[in-house]
Amino acid sequence: MSSKQLSLKDKIQKGLKDFGPAFFIIGYVVGTGSVTSMVVSGANYGLSLSWALLLSCFFTYFLLVSISKLTIVSGDTLMYNFKKAFGKPVTIFIIVALLVSIVSSVIGVMGVVAEVTMEWISVKTSISFLNAPVISVFFICLLISLFWTGKHENFIKAMSIMVGFMALSFIATSVMVVKETGTNLADFFPELPTGDNAGLVIAGIVGTTMAGVCLASRSILVQEQKWGIEDLKTENRDAMSSMALTFFISLAIMISATGTLYFQGIKVNDATDMMSALGPWAGDFALTLFTLGIIGAGLSSIFPNLLLFPWLIADYTGTERNMKKPLFKALVVIVALSGVIVPFFGGKPVWILIASQALSPFIMPLITLFLIILINRTEIMKEHKTSLWMNIALGATLIFNIYMLYVALTGFMTYL
């Protein structure tokens, strides 16, 4: 009996280990940036932009599978493969572009977290000595101290639980609003918006799902899993599950915002405007639940952002990812301190965060093109060269990314 229990336990532990990269992607993608983009999209445009979410998840799956296969077969991570094949200058350009995305994301996320937290404090308490700069400094010091002491695992788990509750709440809300609004399902899909900030929101939806930084880190995580050729099917399932869950959770957030905000004519321009998105399900507790979820999502997505730049450098140089190096510690602190910019100097954190997500499409066509070239090189892939169908899928992904680059450019021009 005990041996059966042990074998079941071993199977569960192996299953969780095998799907580690999927959990990372879901935790990274379904964060404050995703919540913000989906709530703004649902509140301002109903489900008319859900096609961008569907296509970005669909095409990201092929990128995840191809990046993982390249890493497994070559034994090298993505940036190291880029450096060997295409040279240092273009690879450094990609890393710098990803760094811009990382820093801008930290700036936007902390701005949203600080604004939402301040709103909760002003509504639910009588505290008057706190402000957004103080809150942002507290959270950043907390993250830096956790990194320096190495005692972050339990904290990240706690933040993930908070995010999980918020995700479940959005799923419950999405079911309720569809049943209780008394609105025809077709009304959830108004006409495609033109003008306004629709282009920026579309690019933000795609950028938060098909994040260049997340794709680069996928290669690192696959290498750390020590997956081999025999694990290609496991890797495919991992990629499929991560994108399916990302799509359904993100769609639930969009549906919730449509039912609670769009049909009431409430536009989202500030972080505090998003706090009614859970109203029907949680009632008076909605404000607290959303605040806890945003804090959890924000801090749990900022923390890996702090690690990603050192990871990319180690990826590029092909060296050990030793986060105790003085250089890496200094880089973590510098990236973390960028989070105080919005709370101290002002700005609209919602649109800053969406703009930070919309930066990802600028680099994705180049990453996709390089990936297509590499996985078709016999000297790298040997007998594991990609199939015709995967090449067709990646070709379609490249076209989609080029179109998203155009959408992002026009979105920024309209916004500015």
mmCIF file with all atom_site columns, all heavy atoms in Angstrom, residues 9 20 22 29 48 56 74 168 170 197 204 248 251 257-258 295 297 327 361 375 398 412 414:
data_model
loop_
_atom_site.group_PDB
_atom_site.id
_atom_site.type_symbol
_atom_site.label_atom_id
_atom_site.label_alt_id
_atom_site.label_comp_id
_atom_site.label_asym_id
_atom_site.label_entity_id
_atom_site.label_seq_id
_atom_site.pdbx_PDB_ins_code
_atom_site.Cartn_x
_atom_site.Cartn_y
_atom_site.Cartn_z
_atom_site.occupancy
_atom_site.B_iso_or_equiv
_atom_site.pdbx_formal_charge
_atom_site.auth_seq_id
_atom_site.auth_comp_id
_atom_site.auth_asym_id
_atom_site.auth_atom_id
_atom_site.pdbx_PDB_model_num
ATOM 1   N N   . LYS A 1 9   ? 2.741   9.588  -5.368  1.00 0.00 ? 9   LYS A N   1
ATOM 2   C CA  . LYS A 1 9   ? 3.371   10.848 -4.969  1.00 0.00 ? 9   LYS A CA  1
ATOM 3   C C   . LYS A 1 9   ? 4.492   11.209 -5.939  1.00 0.00 ? 9   LYS A C   1
ATOM 4   O O   . LYS A 1 9   ? 4.636   12.360 -6.350  1.00 0.00 ? 9   LYS A O   1
ATOM 5   C CB  . LYS A 1 9   ? 3.922   10.716 -3.549  1.00 0.00 ? 9   LYS A CB  1
ATOM 6   C CG  . LYS A 1 9   ? 4.614   11.977 -3.047  1.00 0.00 ? 9   LYS A CG  1
ATOM 7   C CD  . LYS A 1 9   ? 5.166   11.751 -1.634  1.00 0.00 ? 9   LYS A CD  1
ATOM 8   C CE  . LYS A 1 9   ? 5.948   12.974 -1.179  1.00 0.00 ? 9   LYS A CE  1
ATOM 9   N NZ  . LYS A 1 9   ? 6.550   12.758 0.160   1.00 0.00 ? 9   LYS A NZ  1
ATOM 10  N N   . GLY A 1 20  ? 6.952   22.651 -14.996 1.00 0.00 ? 20  GLY A N   1
ATOM 11  C CA  . GLY A 1 20  ? 7.497   23.861 -14.374 1.00 0.00 ? 20  GLY A CA  1
ATOM 12  C C   . GLY A 1 20  ? 7.536   25.058 -15.312 1.00 0.00 ? 20  GLY A C   1
ATOM 13  O O   . GLY A 1 20  ? 7.092   26.153 -14.949 1.00 0.00 ? 20  GLY A O   1
ATOM 14  N N   . ALA A 1 22  ? 5.700   25.709 -17.843 1.00 0.00 ? 22  ALA A N   1
ATOM 15  C CA  . ALA A 1 22  ? 4.341   26.178 -18.109 1.00 0.00 ? 22  ALA A CA  1
ATOM 16  C C   . ALA A 1 22  ? 3.855   27.069 -16.984 1.00 0.00 ? 22  ALA A C   1
ATOM 17  O O   . ALA A 1 22  ? 3.255   28.120 -17.205 1.00 0.00 ? 22  ALA A O   1
ATOM 18  C CB  . ALA A 1 22  ? 3.392   24.985 -18.278 1.00 0.00 ? 22  ALA A CB  1
ATOM 19  N N   . VAL A 1 29  ? 2.914   35.712 -17.570 1.00 0.00 ? 29  VAL A N   1
ATOM 20  C CA  . VAL A 1 29  ? 2.006   36.353 -18.538 1.00 0.00 ? 29  VAL A CA  1
ATOM 21  C C   . VAL A 1 29  ? 0.745   36.867 -17.859 1.00 0.00 ? 29  VAL A C   1
ATOM 22  O O   . VAL A 1 29  ? 0.306   37.990 -18.095 1.00 0.00 ? 29  VAL A O   1
ATOM 23  C CB  . VAL A 1 29  ? 1.660   35.373 -19.684 1.00 0.00 ? 29  VAL A CB  1
ATOM 24  C CG1 . VAL A 1 29  ? 0.565   35.958 -20.575 1.00 0.00 ? 29  VAL A CG1 1
ATOM 25  C CG2 . VAL A 1 29  ? 2.900   35.071 -20.513 1.00 0.00 ? 29  VAL A CG2 1
ATOM 26  N N   . SER A 1 48  ? -14.543 42.779 -28.649 1.00 0.00 ? 48  SER A N   1
ATOM 27  C CA  . SER A 1 48  ? -14.212 42.973 -30.065 1.00 0.00 ? 48  SER A CA  1
ATOM 28  C C   . SER A 1 48  ? -12.728 42.779 -30.359 1.00 0.00 ? 48  SER A C   1
ATOM 29  O O   . SER A 1 48  ? -12.345 42.597 -31.510 1.00 0.00 ? 48  SER A O   1
ATOM 30  C CB  . SER A 1 48  ? -14.651 44.369 -30.532 1.00 0.00 ? 48  SER A CB  1
ATOM 31  O OG  . SER A 1 48  ? -14.003 45.368 -29.780 1.00 0.00 ? 48  SER A OG  1
ATOM 32  N N   . SER A 1 56  ? -2.691  35.587 -30.637 1.00 0.00 ? 56  SER A N   1
ATOM 33  C CA  . SER A 1 56  ? -1.386  35.685 -29.981 1.00 0.00 ? 56  SER A CA  1
ATOM 34  C C   . SER A 1 56  ? -1.082  34.408 -29.192 1.00 0.00 ? 56  SER A C   1
ATOM 35  O O   . SER A 1 56  ? 0.061   33.920 -29.210 1.00 0.00 ? 56  SER A O   1
ATOM 36  C CB  . SER A 1 56  ? -1.330  36.911 -29.059 1.00 0.00 ? 56  SER A CB  1
ATOM 37  O OG  . SER A 1 56  ? -2.317  36.849 -28.057 1.00 0.00 ? 56  SER A OG  1
ATOM 38  N N   . SER A 1 74  ? 20.144  21.531 -29.746 1.00 0.00 ? 74  SER A N   1
ATOM 39  C CA  . SER A 1 74  ? 21.453  22.192 -29.830 1.00 0.00 ? 74  SER A CA  1
ATOM 40  C C   . SER A 1 74  ? 22.200  22.161 -28.499 1.00 0.00 ? 74  SER A C   1
ATOM 41  O O   . SER A 1 74  ? 23.437  22.226 -28.471 1.00 0.00 ? 74  SER A O   1
ATOM 42  C CB  . SER A 1 74  ? 21.286  23.640 -30.286 1.00 0.00 ? 74  SER A CB  1
ATOM 43  O OG  . SER A 1 74  ? 20.648  24.421 -29.279 1.00 0.00 ? 74  SER A OG  1
ATOM 44  N N   . LEU A 1 168 ? -9.502  32.984 -10.288 1.00 0.00 ? 168 LEU A N   1
ATOM 45  C CA  . LEU A 1 168 ? -10.736 32.229 -10.076 1.00 0.00 ? 168 LEU A CA  1
ATOM 46  C C   . LEU A 1 168 ? -11.930 33.167 -9.939  1.00 0.00 ? 168 LEU A C   1
ATOM 47  O O   . LEU A 1 168 ? -13.031 32.871 -10.411 1.00 0.00 ? 168 LEU A O   1
ATOM 48  C CB  . LEU A 1 168 ? -10.603 31.355 -8.825  1.00 0.00 ? 168 LEU A CB  1
ATOM 49  C CG  . LEU A 1 168 ? -9.663  30.149 -8.934  1.00 0.00 ? 168 LEU A CG  1
ATOM 50  C CD1 . LEU A 1 168 ? -9.507  29.473 -7.583  1.00 0.00 ? 168 LEU A CD1 1
ATOM 51  C CD2 . LEU A 1 168 ? -10.171 29.157 -9.971  1.00 0.00 ? 168 LEU A CD2 1
ATOM 52  N N   . PHE A 1 170 ? -12.249 36.114 -11.355 1.00 0.00 ? 170 PHE A N   1
ATOM 53  C CA  . PHE A 1 170 ? -12.580 36.609 -12.690 1.00 0.00 ? 170 PHE A CA  1
ATOM 54  C C   . PHE A 1 170 ? -13.333 35.538 -13.494 1.00 0.00 ? 170 PHE A C   1
ATOM 55  O O   . PHE A 1 170 ? -14.264 35.855 -14.239 1.00 0.00 ? 170 PHE A O   1
ATOM 56  C CB  . PHE A 1 170 ? -11.322 37.031 -13.442 1.00 0.00 ? 170 PHE A CB  1
ATOM 57  C CG  . PHE A 1 170 ? -10.922 38.461 -13.209 1.00 0.00 ? 170 PHE A CG  1
ATOM 58  C CD1 . PHE A 1 170 ? -9.716  38.780 -12.612 1.00 0.00 ? 170 PHE A CD1 1
ATOM 59  C CD2 . PHE A 1 170 ? -11.764 39.502 -13.582 1.00 0.00 ? 170 PHE A CD2 1
ATOM 60  C CE1 . PHE A 1 170 ? -9.342  40.099 -12.396 1.00 0.00 ? 170 PHE A CE1 1
ATOM 61  C CE2 . PHE A 1 170 ? -11.405 40.826 -13.375 1.00 0.00 ? 170 PHE A CE2 1
ATOM 62  C CZ  . PHE A 1 170 ? -10.190 41.120 -12.778 1.00 0.00 ? 170 PHE A CZ  1
ATOM 63  N N   . ASN A 1 197 ? -7.424  54.694 -28.812 1.00 0.00 ? 197 ASN A N   1
ATOM 64  C CA  . ASN A 1 197 ? -6.182  54.007 -28.465 1.00 0.00 ? 197 ASN A CA  1
ATOM 65  C C   . ASN A 1 197 ? -6.274  52.515 -28.768 1.00 0.00 ? 197 ASN A C   1
ATOM 66  O O   . ASN A 1 197 ? -5.536  51.718 -28.178 1.00 0.00 ? 197 ASN A O   1
ATOM 67  C CB  . ASN A 1 197 ? -5.870  54.214 -26.974 1.00 0.00 ? 197 ASN A CB  1
ATOM 68  C CG  . ASN A 1 197 ? -5.570  55.661 -26.650 1.00 0.00 ? 197 ASN A CG  1
ATOM 69  O OD1 . ASN A 1 197 ? -4.900  56.355 -27.409 1.00 0.00 ? 197 ASN A OD1 1
ATOM 70  N ND2 . ASN A 1 197 ? -6.079  56.142 -25.522 1.00 0.00 ? 197 ASN A ND2 1
ATOM 71  N N   . GLY A 1 204 ? -0.800  45.877 -26.946 1.00 0.00 ? 204 GLY A N   1
ATOM 72  C CA  . GLY A 1 204 ? -0.585  45.508 -25.552 1.00 0.00 ? 204 GLY A CA  1
ATOM 73  C C   . GLY A 1 204 ? -1.072  44.106 -25.248 1.00 0.00 ? 204 GLY A C   1
ATOM 74  O O   . GLY A 1 204 ? -0.418  43.345 -24.523 1.00 0.00 ? 204 GLY A O   1
ATOM 75  N N   . PHE A 1 248 ? -7.708  31.136 -21.559 1.00 0.00 ? 248 PHE A N   1
ATOM 76  C CA  . PHE A 1 248 ? -8.987  31.074 -20.847 1.00 0.00 ? 248 PHE A CA  1
ATOM 77  C C   . PHE A 1 248 ? -9.036  32.044 -19.666 1.00 0.00 ? 248 PHE A C   1
ATOM 78  O O   . PHE A 1 248 ? -10.062 32.677 -19.417 1.00 0.00 ? 248 PHE A O   1
ATOM 79  C CB  . PHE A 1 248 ? -9.263  29.641 -20.394 1.00 0.00 ? 248 PHE A CB  1
ATOM 80  C CG  . PHE A 1 248 ? -9.690  28.734 -21.509 1.00 0.00 ? 248 PHE A CG  1
ATOM 81  C CD1 . PHE A 1 248 ? -8.917  27.645 -21.872 1.00 0.00 ? 248 PHE A CD1 1
ATOM 82  C CD2 . PHE A 1 248 ? -10.859 28.994 -22.220 1.00 0.00 ? 248 PHE A CD2 1
ATOM 83  C CE1 . PHE A 1 248 ? -9.305  26.820 -22.920 1.00 0.00 ? 248 PHE A CE1 1
ATOM 84  C CE2 . PHE A 1 248 ? -11.255 28.176 -23.273 1.00 0.00 ? 248 PHE A CE2 1
ATOM 85  C CZ  . PHE A 1 248 ? -10.475 27.081 -23.616 1.00 0.00 ? 248 PHE A CZ  1
ATOM 86  N N   . LEU A 1 251 ? -9.256  35.561 -21.229 1.00 0.00 ? 251 LEU A N   1
ATOM 87  C CA  . LEU A 1 251 ? -10.588 35.780 -21.786 1.00 0.00 ? 251 LEU A CA  1
ATOM 88  C C   . LEU A 1 251 ? -11.611 36.010 -20.679 1.00 0.00 ? 251 LEU A C   1
ATOM 89  O O   . LEU A 1 251 ? -12.509 36.849 -20.818 1.00 0.00 ? 251 LEU A O   1
ATOM 90  C CB  . LEU A 1 251 ? -10.999 34.581 -22.636 1.00 0.00 ? 251 LEU A CB  1
ATOM 91  C CG  . LEU A 1 251 ? -12.358 34.696 -23.343 1.00 0.00 ? 251 LEU A CG  1
ATOM 92  C CD1 . LEU A 1 251 ? -12.349 35.846 -24.356 1.00 0.00 ? 251 LEU A CD1 1
ATOM 93  C CD2 . LEU A 1 251 ? -12.732 33.384 -24.034 1.00 0.00 ? 251 LEU A CD2 1
ATOM 94  N N   . ALA A 1 257 ? -14.770 42.282 -17.468 1.00 0.00 ? 257 ALA A N   1
ATOM 95  C CA  . ALA A 1 257 ? -14.725 43.729 -17.670 1.00 0.00 ? 257 ALA A CA  1
ATOM 96  C C   . ALA A 1 257 ? -15.830 44.183 -18.619 1.00 0.00 ? 257 ALA A C   1
ATOM 97  O O   . ALA A 1 257 ? -16.408 45.267 -18.451 1.00 0.00 ? 257 ALA A O   1
ATOM 98  C CB  . ALA A 1 257 ? -13.363 44.144 -18.219 1.00 0.00 ? 257 ALA A CB  1
ATOM 99  N N   . THR A 1 258 ? -16.147 43.351 -19.607 1.00 0.00 ? 258 THR A N   1
ATOM 100 C CA  . THR A 1 258 ? -17.235 43.692 -20.530 1.00 0.00 ? 258 THR A CA  1
ATOM 101 C C   . THR A 1 258 ? -18.562 43.756 -19.793 1.00 0.00 ? 258 THR A C   1
ATOM 102 O O   . THR A 1 258 ? -19.342 44.706 -19.944 1.00 0.00 ? 258 THR A O   1
ATOM 103 C CB  . THR A 1 258 ? -17.327 42.649 -21.671 1.00 0.00 ? 258 THR A CB  1
ATOM 104 O OG1 . THR A 1 258 ? -16.090 42.612 -22.373 1.00 0.00 ? 258 THR A OG1 1
ATOM 105 C CG2 . THR A 1 258 ? -18.440 43.008 -22.645 1.00 0.00 ? 258 THR A CG2 1
ATOM 106 N N   . ILE A 1 295 ? -1.723  43.338 -6.249  1.00 0.00 ? 295 ILE A N   1
ATOM 107 C CA  . ILE A 1 295 ? -0.447  43.337 -5.526  1.00 0.00 ? 295 ILE A CA  1
ATOM 108 C C   . ILE A 1 295 ? 0.279   42.014 -5.761  1.00 0.00 ? 295 ILE A C   1
ATOM 109 O O   . ILE A 1 295 ? 1.483   41.994 -6.065  1.00 0.00 ? 295 ILE A O   1
ATOM 110 C CB  . ILE A 1 295 ? -0.673  43.568 -4.015  1.00 0.00 ? 295 ILE A CB  1
ATOM 111 C CG1 . ILE A 1 295 ? -1.169  44.988 -3.764  1.00 0.00 ? 295 ILE A CG1 1
ATOM 112 C CG2 . ILE A 1 295 ? 0.624   43.326 -3.231  1.00 0.00 ? 295 ILE A CG2 1
ATOM 113 C CD1 . ILE A 1 295 ? -1.590  45.253 -2.320  1.00 0.00 ? 295 ILE A CD1 1
ATOM 114 N N   . ALA A 1 297 ? -0.159  39.816 -8.251  1.00 0.00 ? 297 ALA A N   1
ATOM 115 C CA  . ALA A 1 297 ? 0.250   39.704 -9.658  1.00 0.00 ? 297 ALA A CA  1
ATOM 116 C C   . ALA A 1 297 ? 1.428   40.626 -9.950  1.00 0.00 ? 297 ALA A C   1
ATOM 117 O O   . ALA A 1 297 ? 2.362   40.252 -10.670 1.00 0.00 ? 297 ALA A O   1
ATOM 118 C CB  . ALA A 1 297 ? -0.932  40.044 -10.563 1.00 0.00 ? 297 ALA A CB  1
ATOM 119 N N   . LEU A 1 327 ? 27.924  41.921 -10.088 1.00 0.00 ? 327 LEU A N   1
ATOM 120 C CA  . LEU A 1 327 ? 27.326  42.591 -11.244 1.00 0.00 ? 327 LEU A CA  1
ATOM 121 C C   . LEU A 1 327 ? 25.837  42.279 -11.331 1.00 0.00 ? 327 LEU A C   1
ATOM 122 O O   . LEU A 1 327 ? 25.013  43.184 -11.533 1.00 0.00 ? 327 LEU A O   1
ATOM 123 C CB  . LEU A 1 327 ? 28.021  42.151 -12.532 1.00 0.00 ? 327 LEU A CB  1
ATOM 124 C CG  . LEU A 1 327 ? 27.372  42.637 -13.850 1.00 0.00 ? 327 LEU A CG  1
ATOM 125 C CD1 . LEU A 1 327 ? 27.391  44.161 -13.918 1.00 0.00 ? 327 LEU A CD1 1
ATOM 126 C CD2 . LEU A 1 327 ? 28.055  42.025 -15.066 1.00 0.00 ? 327 LEU A CD2 1
ATOM 127 N N   . PRO A 1 361 ? 5.988   43.756 -29.622 1.00 0.00 ? 361 PRO A N   1
ATOM 128 C CA  . PRO A 1 361 ? 5.882   43.486 -31.066 1.00 0.00 ? 361 PRO A CA  1
ATOM 129 C C   . PRO A 1 361 ? 6.994   44.100 -31.909 1.00 0.00 ? 361 PRO A C   1
ATOM 130 O O   . PRO A 1 361 ? 7.203   43.670 -33.049 1.00 0.00 ? 361 PRO A O   1
ATOM 131 C CB  . PRO A 1 361 ? 4.522   44.107 -31.424 1.00 0.00 ? 361 PRO A CB  1
ATOM 132 C CG  . PRO A 1 361 ? 3.722   44.024 -30.170 1.00 0.00 ? 361 PRO A CG  1
ATOM 133 C CD  . PRO A 1 361 ? 4.716   44.267 -29.078 1.00 0.00 ? 361 PRO A CD  1
ATOM 134 N N   . ILE A 1 375 ? 16.122  26.743 -36.885 1.00 0.00 ? 375 ILE A N   1
ATOM 135 C CA  . ILE A 1 375 ? 15.543  25.393 -36.786 1.00 0.00 ? 375 ILE A CA  1
ATOM 136 C C   . ILE A 1 375 ? 15.501  24.684 -38.138 1.00 0.00 ? 375 ILE A C   1
ATOM 137 O O   . ILE A 1 375 ? 15.113  23.522 -38.205 1.00 0.00 ? 375 ILE A O   1
ATOM 138 C CB  . ILE A 1 375 ? 14.121  25.429 -36.171 1.00 0.00 ? 375 ILE A CB  1
ATOM 139 C CG1 . ILE A 1 375 ? 13.165  26.212 -37.053 1.00 0.00 ? 375 ILE A CG1 1
ATOM 140 C CG2 . ILE A 1 375 ? 14.144  25.954 -34.759 1.00 0.00 ? 375 ILE A CG2 1
ATOM 141 C CD1 . ILE A 1 375 ? 11.727  26.121 -36.591 1.00 0.00 ? 375 ILE A CD1 1
ATOM 142 N N   . LEU A 1 398 ? 5.278   34.743 -38.376 1.00 0.00 ? 398 LEU A N   1
ATOM 143 C CA  . LEU A 1 398 ? 6.091   35.886 -38.791 1.00 0.00 ? 398 LEU A CA  1
ATOM 144 C C   . LEU A 1 398 ? 5.225   36.962 -39.430 1.00 0.00 ? 398 LEU A C   1
ATOM 145 O O   . LEU A 1 398 ? 5.385   38.161 -39.143 1.00 0.00 ? 398 LEU A O   1
ATOM 146 C CB  . LEU A 1 398 ? 7.181   35.421 -39.772 1.00 0.00 ? 398 LEU A CB  1
ATOM 147 C CG  . LEU A 1 398 ? 8.097   36.510 -40.340 1.00 0.00 ? 398 LEU A CG  1
ATOM 148 C CD1 . LEU A 1 398 ? 8.848   37.232 -39.223 1.00 0.00 ? 398 LEU A CD1 1
ATOM 149 C CD2 . LEU A 1 398 ? 9.074   35.916 -41.354 1.00 0.00 ? 398 LEU A CD2 1
ATOM 150 N N   . PHE A 1 412 ? 1.136   53.729 -31.259 1.00 0.00 ? 412 PHE A N   1
ATOM 151 C CA  . PHE A 1 412 ? 1.968   54.711 -30.568 1.00 0.00 ? 412 PHE A CA  1
ATOM 152 C C   . PHE A 1 412 ? 1.834   56.090 -31.202 1.00 0.00 ? 412 PHE A C   1
ATOM 153 O O   . PHE A 1 412 ? 1.781   57.110 -30.498 1.00 0.00 ? 412 PHE A O   1
ATOM 154 C CB  . PHE A 1 412 ? 3.431   54.276 -30.584 1.00 0.00 ? 412 PHE A CB  1
ATOM 155 C CG  . PHE A 1 412 ? 3.814   53.375 -29.446 1.00 0.00 ? 412 PHE A CG  1
ATOM 156 C CD1 . PHE A 1 412 ? 3.991   52.023 -29.647 1.00 0.00 ? 412 PHE A CD1 1
ATOM 157 C CD2 . PHE A 1 412 ? 3.982   53.878 -28.164 1.00 0.00 ? 412 PHE A CD2 1
ATOM 158 C CE1 . PHE A 1 412 ? 4.325   51.173 -28.596 1.00 0.00 ? 412 PHE A CE1 1
ATOM 159 C CE2 . PHE A 1 412 ? 4.308   53.050 -27.095 1.00 0.00 ? 412 PHE A CE2 1
ATOM 160 C CZ  . PHE A 1 412 ? 4.476   51.689 -27.324 1.00 0.00 ? 412 PHE A CZ  1
ATOM 161 N N   . THR A 1 414 ? -0.736  57.312 -32.818 1.00 0.00 ? 414 THR A N   1
ATOM 162 C CA  . THR A 1 414 ? -2.046  57.869 -32.459 1.00 0.00 ? 414 THR A CA  1
ATOM 163 C C   . THR A 1 414 ? -2.063  58.341 -31.024 1.00 0.00 ? 414 THR A C   1
ATOM 164 O O   . THR A 1 414 ? -2.599  59.411 -30.703 1.00 0.00 ? 414 THR A O   1
ATOM 165 C CB  . THR A 1 414 ? -3.141  56.796 -32.648 1.00 0.00 ? 414 THR A CB  1
ATOM 166 O OG1 . THR A 1 414 ? -3.122  56.340 -34.006 1.00 0.00 ? 414 THR A OG1 1
ATOM 167 C CG2 . THR A 1 414 ? -4.517  57.367 -32.330 1.00 0.00 ? 414 THR A CG2 1
#
